Amino acid sequence: MTAARDALRWKLEGLSEYDARRPLTSTGSNALGVIKHVASVELGYLGDVFGRPSGVPLPWLAPDAEPNADMWVPPQESRESVLRLLDAAEATTDGTLAALDLDAPGEVPWWRPERRRVTLHQIAVHMIAESHRHAGHVDVLRELVDGQAGYRPDNDNLAPGDAAWWADYVARVQAGADQCR
């Protein structure tokens, strides 16, 4: 989860407040909102599920909150508050992983009754997958904003190529797609 959190933080670097918050998909996906969601979910799964609540208020997850309130950041919420939320999630996760064995039992009240009983191992794997999935979303969102792509600053995990190579590659992909019309 640490690698995914680091990638999420990096994806915000250099983005204006507008670009960090603006919806870039038909479902409203936006970089800062996805990060808020990841942090909120991590606090629940690796805190509350194992009887280790963080104490961090999450009003956007309250029963009376509007749907998807955890997936966007209103103007009165700062980028810094979302990053502090991500820090709190990291601290909660680290504390839970240090305090409990991987076979420690937990209960996920928002899952179907037959699936609610879990172990820390199951939830850790679930959150690793969830965090990286959403880091991929933010990677695409960042690429849509300014063309910046890649996994980490020191390892973009992309094919080598300069701007001309990428333009040719995209043209070849488009030409292939056009043939399937």
Side-chain angles (χ1 to χ4, degrees):
M1 287 172 279
T2 300
R5 277 190 235 100
D6 290 347
L8 291 169
R9 286 183 184 98
W10 177 53
K11 292 300 170 180
L12 284 181
E13 287 181 18
L15 282 183
S16 68
E17 285 300 313
Y18 173 74
D19 285 335
R21 296 165 185 264
R22 71 179 166 126
L24 294 165
T25 69
S26 62
T27 58
S29 294
N30 63 92
L32 200 55
V34 172
I35 294 168
K36 176 181 173 180
H37 169 77
V38 169
S40 300
V41 169
E42 187 173 340
L43 284 166
Y45 277 120
L46 285 146
D48 300 332
V49 164
F50 295 96
R52 300 176 52 82
S54 67
V56 176
L58 304 173
W60 48 85
L61 295 181
D64 61 343
E66 74 170 76
N68 268 4
D70 65 323
M71 295 295 290
W72 71 290
V73 181
Q76 66 272 18
E77 288 180 46
S78 69
R79 175 193 308 234
E80 292 73 26
S81 72
V82 173
L83 291 172
R84 283 192 305 272
L85 187 68
L86 196 59
D87 291 341
E90 184 170 20
T92 297
T93 294
D94 289 351
T96 297
L97 291 172
L100 302 176
D101 293 328
L102 287 176
D103 61 351
E107 186 172 330
V108 184
W110 54 90
W111 284 7
R112 293 188 318 257
E114 66 273 11
R115 293 190 58 227
R116 286 183 180 165
R117 300 184 85 57
V118 295
T119 65
L120 179 56
H121 179 253
Q122 289 172 296
I123 294 302
V125 170
H126 176 79
M127 271 313 303
I128 290 168
E130 182 83 0
S131 298
H132 281 278
R133 174 178 174 252
H134 288 310
H137 293 148
V138 175
D139 189 34
V140 171
L141 295 171
R142 178 64 189 255
E143 188 173 355
L144 289 169
V145 168
D146 63 7
Q148 296 295 315
Y151 180 55
R152 295 190 317 248
D154 63 331
N155 175 11
D156 64 18
N157 204 29
L158 297 170
D162 60 13
W165 183 90
W166 280 104
D168 180 63
Y169 171 75
V170 171
R172 286 184 287 122
V173 172
Q174 183 64 57
D178 289 345
Q179 290 178 23
C180 296
R181 283 185 174 181

Short mmCIF file of all heavy atoms in Angstrom, two decimals, residues 71-137:
data_model
loop_
_atom_site.label_atom_id
_atom_site.label_comp_id
_atom_site.label_asym_id
_atom_site.label_seq_id
_atom_site.Cartn_x
_atom_site.Cartn_y
_atom_site.Cartn_z
N MET A 71 -15.78 10.81 -3.21
CA MET A 71 -15.08 10.75 -4.49
C MET A 71 -14.79 12.14 -5.09
O MET A 71 -14.35 12.25 -6.21
CB MET A 71 -15.90 9.94 -5.50
CG MET A 71 -16.05 8.48 -5.14
SD MET A 71 -14.50 7.56 -5.14
CE MET A 71 -14.12 7.51 -6.87
N TRP A 72 -15.06 13.19 -4.32
CA TRP A 72 -14.71 14.52 -4.78
C TRP A 72 -14.39 15.39 -3.58
O TRP A 72 -14.72 15.05 -2.44
CB TRP A 72 -15.79 15.12 -5.66
CG TRP A 72 -17.07 15.52 -4.97
CD1 TRP A 72 -18.00 14.69 -4.44
CD2 TRP A 72 -17.53 16.84 -4.75
NE1 TRP A 72 -19.03 15.42 -3.91
CE2 TRP A 72 -18.77 16.75 -4.10
CE3 TRP A 72 -17.03 18.11 -5.07
CZ2 TRP A 72 -19.50 17.87 -3.73
CZ3 TRP A 72 -17.77 19.22 -4.71
CH2 TRP A 72 -18.99 19.10 -4.05
N VAL A 73 -13.73 16.51 -3.85
CA VAL A 73 -13.28 17.39 -2.78
C VAL A 73 -13.85 18.78 -3.03
O VAL A 73 -13.41 19.49 -3.94
CB VAL A 73 -11.73 17.44 -2.74
CG1 VAL A 73 -11.24 18.34 -1.62
CG2 VAL A 73 -11.16 16.02 -2.57
N PRO A 74 -14.86 19.16 -2.22
CA PRO A 74 -15.45 20.49 -2.38
C PRO A 74 -14.41 21.58 -2.10
O PRO A 74 -13.39 21.33 -1.45
CB PRO A 74 -16.55 20.52 -1.32
CG PRO A 74 -16.76 19.11 -0.90
CD PRO A 74 -15.49 18.38 -1.17
N PRO A 75 -14.66 22.78 -2.58
CA PRO A 75 -13.68 23.87 -2.44
C PRO A 75 -13.27 24.16 -1.00
O PRO A 75 -12.13 24.56 -0.76
CB PRO A 75 -14.40 25.08 -3.04
CG PRO A 75 -15.46 24.53 -3.91
CD PRO A 75 -15.84 23.20 -3.33
N GLN A 76 -14.16 23.93 -0.05
CA GLN A 76 -13.81 24.23 1.35
C GLN A 76 -12.87 23.18 1.96
O GLN A 76 -12.33 23.41 3.03
CB GLN A 76 -15.06 24.41 2.21
CG GLN A 76 -15.91 23.18 2.38
CD GLN A 76 -16.96 23.01 1.29
OE1 GLN A 76 -16.88 23.59 0.22
NE2 GLN A 76 -17.95 22.17 1.56
N GLU A 77 -12.68 22.06 1.30
CA GLU A 77 -11.71 21.06 1.74
C GLU A 77 -10.41 21.30 0.98
O GLU A 77 -10.42 21.45 -0.23
CB GLU A 77 -12.19 19.64 1.45
CG GLU A 77 -13.32 19.16 2.32
CD GLU A 77 -13.75 17.74 1.96
OE1 GLU A 77 -12.88 16.86 1.78
OE2 GLU A 77 -14.97 17.53 1.85
N SER A 78 -9.31 21.32 1.69
CA SER A 78 -8.04 21.61 1.03
C SER A 78 -7.35 20.34 0.54
O SER A 78 -7.61 19.24 1.03
CB SER A 78 -7.11 22.34 2.01
OG SER A 78 -6.70 21.46 3.04
N ARG A 79 -6.47 20.53 -0.41
CA ARG A 79 -5.61 19.44 -0.87
C ARG A 79 -4.81 18.90 0.32
O ARG A 79 -4.64 17.70 0.47
CB ARG A 79 -4.66 19.98 -1.94
CG ARG A 79 -3.62 18.99 -2.42
CD ARG A 79 -2.51 19.64 -3.22
NE ARG A 79 -2.98 20.45 -4.30
CZ ARG A 79 -2.61 20.30 -5.57
NH1 ARG A 79 -1.76 19.37 -5.91
NH2 ARG A 79 -3.07 21.11 -6.49
N GLU A 80 -4.32 19.82 1.16
CA GLU A 80 -3.53 19.42 2.31
C GLU A 80 -4.33 18.54 3.26
O GLU A 80 -3.80 17.60 3.84
CB GLU A 80 -2.99 20.65 3.05
CG GLU A 80 -1.95 21.44 2.28
CD GLU A 80 -2.52 22.24 1.10
OE1 GLU A 80 -3.73 22.62 1.12
OE2 GLU A 80 -1.76 22.48 0.15
N SER A 81 -5.63 18.82 3.41
CA SER A 81 -6.46 17.98 4.30
C SER A 81 -6.59 16.57 3.73
O SER A 81 -6.62 15.59 4.48
CB SER A 81 -7.83 18.61 4.54
OG SER A 81 -8.65 18.53 3.38
N VAL A 82 -6.65 16.45 2.41
CA VAL A 82 -6.73 15.12 1.79
C VAL A 82 -5.40 14.39 1.97
O VAL A 82 -5.39 13.19 2.28
CB VAL A 82 -7.12 15.23 0.30
CG1 VAL A 82 -7.03 13.88 -0.39
CG2 VAL A 82 -8.52 15.81 0.18
N LEU A 83 -4.29 15.10 1.84
CA LEU A 83 -2.99 14.46 2.05
C LEU A 83 -2.79 14.07 3.52
O LEU A 83 -2.21 13.03 3.81
CB LEU A 83 -1.87 15.37 1.54
CG LEU A 83 -1.85 15.52 0.02
CD1 LEU A 83 -0.84 16.58 -0.41
CD2 LEU A 83 -1.58 14.19 -0.67
N ARG A 84 -3.30 14.90 4.43
CA ARG A 84 -3.26 14.52 5.86
C ARG A 84 -4.11 13.27 6.10
O ARG A 84 -3.76 12.41 6.91
CB ARG A 84 -3.72 15.67 6.75
CG ARG A 84 -2.66 16.75 6.93
CD ARG A 84 -3.01 17.74 8.04
NE ARG A 84 -4.31 18.37 7.87
CZ ARG A 84 -4.53 19.49 7.18
NH1 ARG A 84 -3.53 20.11 6.59
NH2 ARG A 84 -5.74 20.00 7.09
N LEU A 85 -5.24 13.17 5.41
CA LEU A 85 -6.09 11.99 5.52
C LEU A 85 -5.34 10.76 5.03
O LEU A 85 -5.40 9.69 5.65
CB LEU A 85 -7.37 12.21 4.70
CG LEU A 85 -8.45 11.16 4.81
CD1 LEU A 85 -9.07 11.17 6.21
CD2 LEU A 85 -9.53 11.42 3.76
N LEU A 86 -4.60 10.90 3.95
CA LEU A 86 -3.79 9.79 3.44
C LEU A 86 -2.70 9.43 4.45
O LEU A 86 -2.43 8.24 4.67
CB LEU A 86 -3.18 10.18 2.09
CG LEU A 86 -2.61 9.06 1.23
CD1 LEU A 86 -3.66 8.01 0.88
CD2 LEU A 86 -2.00 9.65 -0.05
N ASP A 87 -2.11 10.42 5.10
CA ASP A 87 -1.12 10.16 6.15
C ASP A 87 -1.76 9.42 7.32
O ASP A 87 -1.16 8.49 7.89
CB ASP A 87 -0.50 11.47 6.66
CG ASP A 87 0.39 12.15 5.64
OD1 ASP A 87 0.85 11.48 4.67
OD2 ASP A 87 0.62 13.37 5.80
N ALA A 88 -2.97 9.82 7.70
CA ALA A 88 -3.67 9.15 8.80
C ALA A 88 -3.98 7.71 8.43
O ALA A 88 -3.88 6.81 9.28
CB ALA A 88 -4.96 9.90 9.14
N ALA A 89 -4.36 7.48 7.18
CA ALA A 89 -4.62 6.10 6.73
C ALA A 89 -3.35 5.27 6.83
O ALA A 89 -3.37 4.12 7.28
CB ALA A 89 -5.15 6.12 5.31
N GLU A 90 -2.24 5.85 6.42
CA GLU A 90 -0.97 5.14 6.49
C GLU A 90 -0.61 4.79 7.94
O GLU A 90 -0.22 3.66 8.24
CB GLU A 90 0.14 5.98 5.86
CG GLU A 90 1.48 5.27 5.81
CD GLU A 90 2.49 6.03 4.97
OE1 GLU A 90 2.33 7.25 4.73
OE2 GLU A 90 3.46 5.37 4.55
N ALA A 91 -0.78 5.75 8.83
CA ALA A 91 -0.47 5.51 10.25
C ALA A 91 -1.40 4.44 10.84
O ALA A 91 -0.96 3.56 11.59
CB ALA A 91 -0.60 6.81 11.04
N THR A 92 -2.67 4.49 10.49
CA THR A 92 -3.63 3.49 10.98
C THR A 92 -3.27 2.11 10.46
O THR A 92 -3.24 1.13 11.22
CB THR A 92 -5.06 3.87 10.55
OG1 THR A 92 -5.40 5.10 11.17
CG2 THR A 92 -6.07 2.80 10.94
N THR A 93 -2.97 2.02 9.18
CA THR A 93 -2.59 0.73 8.59
C THR A 93 -1.32 0.19 9.22
O THR A 93 -1.26 -0.97 9.61
CB THR A 93 -2.41 0.89 7.06
OG1 THR A 93 -3.69 1.19 6.50
CG2 THR A 93 -1.86 -0.37 6.44
N ASP A 94 -0.32 1.04 9.33
CA ASP A 94 0.95 0.60 9.92
C ASP A 94 0.74 0.12 11.35
O ASP A 94 1.30 -0.90 11.77
CB ASP A 94 1.98 1.72 9.89
CG ASP A 94 2.49 2.02 8.50
OD1 ASP A 94 2.19 1.25 7.55
OD2 ASP A 94 3.19 3.05 8.34
N GLY A 95 -0.09 0.84 12.11
CA GLY A 95 -0.37 0.45 13.50
C GLY A 95 -1.10 -0.88 13.58
O GLY A 95 -0.77 -1.73 14.41
N THR A 96 -2.08 -1.08 12.72
CA THR A 96 -2.83 -2.33 12.72
C THR A 96 -1.94 -3.49 12.32
O THR A 96 -1.96 -4.56 12.95
CB THR A 96 -4.05 -2.22 11.78
OG1 THR A 96 -4.92 -1.20 12.30
CG2 THR A 96 -4.82 -3.53 11.69
N LEU A 97 -1.15 -3.30 11.27
CA LEU A 97 -0.26 -4.38 10.82
C LEU A 97 0.81 -4.72 11.86
O LEU A 97 1.21 -5.88 11.99
CB LEU A 97 0.39 -4.02 9.48
CG LEU A 97 -0.57 -3.98 8.29
CD1 LEU A 97 0.13 -3.41 7.06
CD2 LEU A 97 -1.13 -5.36 7.99
N ALA A 98 1.25 -3.72 12.62
CA ALA A 98 2.24 -3.96 13.66
C ALA A 98 1.62 -4.62 14.89
O ALA A 98 2.27 -5.44 15.55
CB ALA A 98 2.91 -2.65 14.07
N ALA A 99 0.38 -4.29 15.19
CA ALA A 99 -0.25 -4.76 16.42
C ALA A 99 -0.89 -6.14 16.32
O ALA A 99 -1.02 -6.83 17.33
CB ALA A 99 -1.31 -3.75 16.88
N LEU A 100 -1.30 -6.52 15.12
CA LEU A 100 -2.09 -7.75 14.97
C LEU A 100 -1.39 -8.77 14.08
O LEU A 100 -0.64 -8.40 13.18
CB LEU A 100 -3.46 -7.42 14.36
CG LEU A 100 -4.34 -6.42 15.12
CD1 LEU A 100 -5.61 -6.14 14.33
CD2 LEU A 100 -4.64 -6.91 16.52
N ASP A 101 -1.67 -10.04 14.34
CA ASP A 101 -1.20 -11.10 13.46
C ASP A 101 -2.03 -11.08 12.18
O ASP A 101 -3.18 -10.66 12.18
CB ASP A 101 -1.34 -12.47 14.14
CG ASP A 101 -0.41 -12.63 15.33
OD1 ASP A 101 0.70 -12.05 15.31
OD2 ASP A 101 -0.80 -13.33 16.29
N LEU A 102 -1.47 -11.61 11.11
CA LEU A 102 -2.19 -11.64 9.84
C LEU A 102 -3.46 -12.48 9.90
O LEU A 102 -4.37 -12.27 9.11
CB LEU A 102 -1.28 -12.15 8.72
CG LEU A 102 -0.22 -11.15 8.26
CD1 LEU A 102 0.69 -11.79 7.21
CD2 LEU A 102 -0.85 -9.88 7.72
N ASP A 103 -3.54 -13.41 10.86
CA ASP A 103 -4.76 -14.22 10.97
C ASP A 103 -5.77 -13.60 11.96
O ASP A 103 -6.79 -14.21 12.26
CB ASP A 103 -4.44 -15.66 11.33
CG ASP A 103 -3.72 -15.80 12.67
OD1 ASP A 103 -3.31 -14.78 13.26
OD2 ASP A 103 -3.56 -16.95 13.13
N ALA A 104 -5.50 -12.37 12.40
CA ALA A 104 -6.43 -11.69 13.31
C ALA A 104 -7.79 -11.53 12.63
O ALA A 104 -7.87 -11.15 11.47
CB ALA A 104 -5.89 -10.32 13.71
N PRO A 105 -8.87 -11.82 13.36
CA PRO A 105 -10.20 -11.72 12.76
C PRO A 105 -10.73 -10.29 12.76
O PRO A 105 -10.38 -9.48 13.61
CB PRO A 105 -11.06 -12.60 13.66
CG PRO A 105 -10.38 -12.51 15.00
CD PRO A 105 -8.92 -12.37 14.71
N GLY A 106 -11.55 -10.03 11.78
CA GLY A 106 -12.24 -8.74 11.69
C GLY A 106 -13.60 -8.97 11.07
O GLY A 106 -13.93 -10.08 10.63
N GLU A 107 -14.38 -7.91 11.04
CA GLU A 107 -15.70 -8.00 10.41
C GLU A 107 -15.95 -6.74 9.60
O GLU A 107 -15.80 -5.63 10.09
CB GLU A 107 -16.80 -8.17 11.45
CG GLU A 107 -18.14 -8.40 10.81
CD GLU A 107 -19.22 -8.77 11.81
OE1 GLU A 107 -18.91 -9.38 12.84
OE2 GLU A 107 -20.38 -8.43 11.53
N VAL A 108 -16.34 -6.94 8.34
CA VAL A 108 -16.63 -5.83 7.43
C VAL A 108 -18.15 -5.67 7.38
O VAL A 108 -18.83 -6.39 6.65
CB VAL A 108 -16.06 -6.12 6.01
CG1 VAL A 108 -16.30 -4.90 5.11
CG2 VAL A 108 -14.58 -6.48 6.07
N PRO A 109 -18.70 -4.73 8.16
CA PRO A 109 -20.16 -4.63 8.27
C PRO A 109 -20.86 -4.24 6.97
O PRO A 109 -22.04 -4.52 6.81
CB PRO A 109 -20.36 -3.56 9.34
CG PRO A 109 -19.09 -2.83 9.45
CD PRO A 109 -18.01 -3.76 9.00
N TRP A 110 -20.17 -3.64 6.03
CA TRP A 110 -20.80 -3.23 4.78
C TRP A 110 -20.74 -4.32 3.70
O TRP A 110 -21.24 -4.13 2.61
CB TRP A 110 -20.21 -1.92 4.26
CG TRP A 110 -18.72 -1.89 4.11
CD1 TRP A 110 -18.00 -2.25 3.00
CD2 TRP A 110 -17.77 -1.49 5.09
NE1 TRP A 110 -16.66 -2.09 3.23
CE2 TRP A 110 -16.49 -1.62 4.51
CE3 TRP A 110 -17.86 -1.02 6.40
CZ2 TRP A 110 -15.31 -1.31 5.20
CZ3 TRP A 110 -16.69 -0.72 7.08
CH2 TRP A 110 -15.44 -0.87 6.48
N TRP A 111 -20.16 -5.47 4.02
CA TRP A 111 -20.16 -6.60 3.09
C TRP A 111 -21.36 -7.50 3.38
O TRP A 111 -21.94 -7.46 4.47
CB TRP A 111 -18.88 -7.40 3.22
CG TRP A 111 -17.67 -6.76 2.59
CD1 TRP A 111 -17.58 -5.51 2.04
CD2 TRP A 111 -16.39 -7.36 2.47
NE1 TRP A 111 -16.31 -5.29 1.58
CE2 TRP A 111 -15.55 -6.41 1.82
CE3 TRP A 111 -15.85 -8.58 2.83
CZ2 TRP A 111 -14.21 -6.66 1.54
CZ3 TRP A 111 -14.52 -8.84 2.55
CH2 TRP A 111 -13.72 -7.88 1.89
N ARG A 112 -21.70 -8.35 2.43
CA ARG A 112 -22.79 -9.32 2.62
C ARG A 112 -22.50 -10.17 3.86
O ARG A 112 -21.34 -10.50 4.14
CB ARG A 112 -22.91 -10.22 1.40
CG ARG A 112 -23.37 -9.51 0.15
CD ARG A 112 -23.67 -10.49 -0.99
NE ARG A 112 -22.70 -11.55 -1.13
CZ ARG A 112 -21.74 -11.60 -2.05
NH1 ARG A 112 -21.62 -10.64 -2.94
NH2 ARG A 112 -20.90 -12.62 -2.09
N PRO A 113 -23.53 -10.56 4.59
CA PRO A 113 -23.34 -11.31 5.85
C PRO A 113 -22.44 -12.54 5.69
O PRO A 113 -21.60 -12.81 6.56
CB PRO A 113 -24.75 -11.69 6.27
CG PRO A 113 -25.61 -10.63 5.67
CD PRO A 113 -24.95 -10.25 4.36
N GLU A 114 -22.58 -13.27 4.63
CA GLU A 114 -21.79 -14.50 4.47
C GLU A 114 -20.31 -14.23 4.18
O GLU A 114 -19.49 -15.14 4.26
CB GLU A 114 -22.39 -15.40 3.38
CG GLU A 114 -22.34 -14.84 1.98
CD GLU A 114 -23.51 -13.94 1.61
OE1 GLU A 114 -24.31 -13.56 2.49
OE2 GLU A 114 -23.61 -13.61 0.42
N ARG A 115 -19.95 -12.98 3.89
CA ARG A 115 -18.55 -12.64 3.58
C ARG A 115 -17.93 -11.73 4.63
O ARG A 115 -16.74 -11.39 4.52
CB ARG A 115 -18.49 -11.94 2.22
CG ARG A 115 -18.86 -12.82 1.05
CD ARG A 115 -18.55 -12.15 -0.29
NE ARG A 115 -17.14 -11.79 -0.38
CZ ARG A 115 -16.69 -10.59 -0.79
NH1 ARG A 115 -17.54 -9.65 -1.15
NH2 ARG A 115 -15.40 -10.34 -0.85
N ARG A 116 -18.67 -11.30 5.61
CA ARG A 116 -18.21 -10.26 6.54
C ARG A 116 -17.03 -10.66 7.40
O ARG A 116 -16.21 -9.82 7.76
CB ARG A 116 -19.36 -9.83 7.45
CG ARG A 116 -20.36 -8.99 6.74
CD ARG A 116 -21.43 -8.52 7.66
NE ARG A 116 -22.37 -7.71 6.88
CZ ARG A 116 -23.54 -7.37 7.27
NH1 ARG A 116 -23.98 -7.73 8.46
NH2 ARG A 116 -24.31 -6.65 6.49
N ARG A 117 -16.95 -11.90 7.78
CA ARG A 117 -15.87 -12.34 8.67
C ARG A 117 -14.61 -12.53 7.85
O ARG A 117 -14.58 -13.28 6.89
CB ARG A 117 -16.27 -13.59 9.41
CG ARG A 117 -17.55 -13.34 10.27
CD ARG A 117 -17.96 -14.50 11.12
NE ARG A 117 -17.30 -14.60 12.40
CZ ARG A 117 -17.29 -13.67 13.37
NH1 ARG A 117 -17.85 -12.53 13.17
NH2 ARG A 117 -16.70 -13.90 14.51
N VAL A 118 -13.56 -11.79 8.23
CA VAL A 118 -12.33 -11.74 7.45
C VAL A 118 -11.12 -11.86 8.37
O VAL A 118 -11.25 -11.82 9.60
CB VAL A 118 -12.24 -10.42 6.65
CG1 VAL A 118 -13.35 -10.33 5.61
CG2 VAL A 118 -12.26 -9.22 7.59
N THR A 119 -9.96 -11.99 7.76
CA THR A 119 -8.70 -11.91 8.50
C THR A 119 -7.95 -10.66 8.05
O THR A 119 -8.22 -10.11 6.97
CB THR A 119 -7.82 -13.15 8.25
OG1 THR A 119 -7.43 -13.15 6.87
CG2 THR A 119 -8.53 -14.44 8.63
N LEU A 120 -6.99 -10.26 8.84
CA LEU A 120 -6.16 -9.12 8.49
C LEU A 120 -5.44 -9.40 7.16
O LEU A 120 -5.31 -8.51 6.32
CB LEU A 120 -5.16 -8.82 9.60
CG LEU A 120 -4.21 -7.66 9.35
CD1 LEU A 120 -4.95 -6.37 9.03
CD2 LEU A 120 -3.29 -7.47 10.55
N HIS A 121 -5.02 -10.62 6.97
CA HIS A 121 -4.35 -10.99 5.72
C HIS A 121 -5.26 -10.71 4.52
O HIS A 121 -4.84 -10.09 3.53
CB HIS A 121 -3.93 -12.46 5.77
CG HIS A 121 -3.27 -12.91 4.52
ND1 HIS A 121 -3.88 -13.75 3.61
CD2 HIS A 121 -2.04 -12.64 4.02
CE1 HIS A 121 -3.05 -13.98 2.62
NE2 HIS A 121 -1.93 -13.32 2.83
N GLN A 122 -6.50 -11.15 4.59
CA GLN A 122 -7.45 -10.93 3.49
C GLN A 122 -7.64 -9.44 3.20
O GLN A 122 -7.65 -9.02 2.04
CB GLN A 122 -8.82 -11.53 3.82
CG GLN A 122 -8.86 -13.04 3.81
CD GLN A 122 -10.20 -13.53 4.35
OE1 GLN A 122 -10.52 -13.29 5.51
NE2 GLN A 122 -10.96 -14.18 3.50
N ILE A 123 -7.78 -8.66 4.25
CA ILE A 123 -8.04 -7.24 4.07
C ILE A 123 -6.79 -6.51 3.60
O ILE A 123 -6.87 -5.59 2.78
CB ILE A 123 -8.63 -6.62 5.36
CG1 ILE A 123 -10.01 -7.22 5.62
CG2 ILE A 123 -8.68 -5.10 5.28
CD1 ILE A 123 -11.03 -7.02 4.49
N ALA A 124 -5.63 -6.92 4.07
CA ALA A 124 -4.39 -6.30 3.59
C ALA A 124 -4.24 -6.53 2.08
O ALA A 124 -3.93 -5.59 1.33
CB ALA A 124 -3.18 -6.84 4.35
N VAL A 125 -4.49 -7.75 1.64
CA VAL A 125 -4.40 -8.04 0.21
C VAL A 125 -5.47 -7.25 -0.55
O VAL A 125 -5.19 -6.66 -1.61
CB VAL A 125 -4.54 -9.56 -0.06
CG1 VAL A 125 -4.71 -9.86 -1.54
CG2 VAL A 125 -3.33 -10.30 0.51
N HIS A 126 -6.67 -7.19 0.00
CA HIS A 126 -7.76 -6.43 -0.63
C HIS A 126 -7.35 -4.97 -0.79
O HIS A 126 -7.55 -4.37 -1.86
CB HIS A 126 -9.03 -6.55 0.22
CG HIS A 126 -10.17 -5.74 -0.28
ND1 HIS A 126 -10.95 -6.12 -1.34
CD2 HIS A 126 -10.65 -4.54 0.14
CE1 HIS A 126 -11.88 -5.20 -1.55
NE2 HIS A 126 -11.72 -4.23 -0.67
N MET A 127 -6.79 -4.37 0.25
CA MET A 127 -6.42 -2.95 0.19
C MET A 127 -5.22 -2.70 -0.72
O MET A 127 -5.14 -1.65 -1.35
CB MET A 127 -6.15 -2.39 1.59
CG MET A 127 -7.37 -1.84 2.29
SD MET A 127 -8.43 -0.72 1.31
CE MET A 127 -7.30 0.57 0.82
N ILE A 128 -4.30 -3.64 -0.79
CA ILE A 128 -3.19 -3.48 -1.74
C ILE A 128 -3.76 -3.40 -3.16
O ILE A 128 -3.41 -2.51 -3.94
CB ILE A 128 -2.17 -4.63 -1.61
CG1 ILE A 128 -1.40 -4.49 -0.29
CG2 ILE A 128 -1.21 -4.65 -2.80
CD1 ILE A 128 -0.59 -5.72 0.07
N ALA A 129 -4.64 -4.34 -3.48
CA ALA A 129 -5.25 -4.35 -4.81
C ALA A 129 -6.06 -3.08 -5.05
O ALA A 129 -5.96 -2.45 -6.11
CB ALA A 129 -6.12 -5.59 -4.98
N GLU A 130 -6.86 -2.70 -4.07
CA GLU A 130 -7.71 -1.51 -4.19
C GLU A 130 -6.87 -0.25 -4.37
O GLU A 130 -7.17 0.60 -5.23
CB GLU A 130 -8.59 -1.40 -2.94
CG GLU A 130 -9.56 -0.27 -2.93
CD GLU A 130 -10.85 -0.56 -3.67
OE1 GLU A 130 -11.02 -1.66 -4.20
OE2 GLU A 130 -11.68 0.36 -3.72
N SER A 131 -5.83 -0.12 -3.59
CA SER A 131 -4.98 1.07 -3.66
C SER A 131 -4.27 1.18 -5.00
O SER A 131 -4.21 2.26 -5.61
CB SER A 131 -3.95 1.06 -2.53
OG SER A 131 -4.60 1.10 -1.28
N HIS A 132 -3.75 0.07 -5.49
CA HIS A 132 -3.06 0.10 -6.78
C HIS A 132 -4.04 0.31 -7.93
O HIS A 132 -3.71 0.98 -8.91
CB HIS A 132 -2.21 -1.15 -6.97
CG HIS A 132 -0.93 -1.07 -6.21
ND1 HIS A 132 0.17 -0.41 -6.70
CD2 HIS A 132 -0.58 -1.53 -4.98
CE1 HIS A 132 1.15 -0.47 -5.82
NE2 HIS A 132 0.73 -1.14 -4.76
N ARG A 133 -5.22 -0.26 -7.82
CA ARG A 133 -6.25 -0.04 -8.84
C ARG A 133 -6.55 1.45 -8.98
O ARG A 133 -6.58 2.01 -10.07
CB ARG A 133 -7.50 -0.82 -8.46
CG ARG A 133 -8.69 -0.58 -9.35
CD ARG A 133 -9.87 -1.48 -8.87
NE ARG A 133 -11.06 -1.17 -9.60
CZ ARG A 133 -12.10 -0.52 -9.10
NH1 ARG A 133 -12.12 -0.12 -7.84
NH2 ARG A 133 -13.15 -0.27 -9.85
N HIS A 134 -6.75 2.09 -7.85
CA HIS A 134 -7.06 3.52 -7.87
C HIS A 134 -5.85 4.36 -8.24
O HIS A 134 -6.01 5.42 -8.87
CB HIS A 134 -7.67 3.96 -6.55
CG HIS A 134 -9.07 3.47 -6.36
ND1 HIS A 134 -10.05 3.62 -7.31
CD2 HIS A 134 -9.66 2.82 -5.32
CE1 HIS A 134 -11.19 3.10 -6.88
NE2 HIS A 134 -10.97 2.60 -5.67
N ALA A 135 -4.64 3.92 -7.90
CA ALA A 135 -3.45 4.64 -8.35
C ALA A 135 -3.38 4.62 -9.87
O ALA A 135 -2.99 5.61 -10.50
CB ALA A 135 -2.19 4.03 -7.74
N GLY A 136 -3.80 3.51 -10.47
CA GLY A 136 -3.88 3.44 -11.93
C GLY A 136 -4.89 4.42 -12.49
O GLY A 136 -4.66 5.05 -13.53
N HIS A 137 -6.02 4.55 -11.80
CA HIS A 137 -7.02 5.53 -12.24
C HIS A 137 -6.42 6.94 -12.23
O HIS A 137 -6.58 7.70 -13.19
CB HIS A 137 -8.24 5.53 -11.32
CG HIS A 137 -9.04 4.28 -11.38
ND1 HIS A 137 -9.72 3.79 -10.29
CD2 HIS A 137 -9.27 3.40 -12.38
CE1 HIS A 137 -10.34 2.68 -10.63
NE2 HIS A 137 -10.08 2.42 -11.89
#
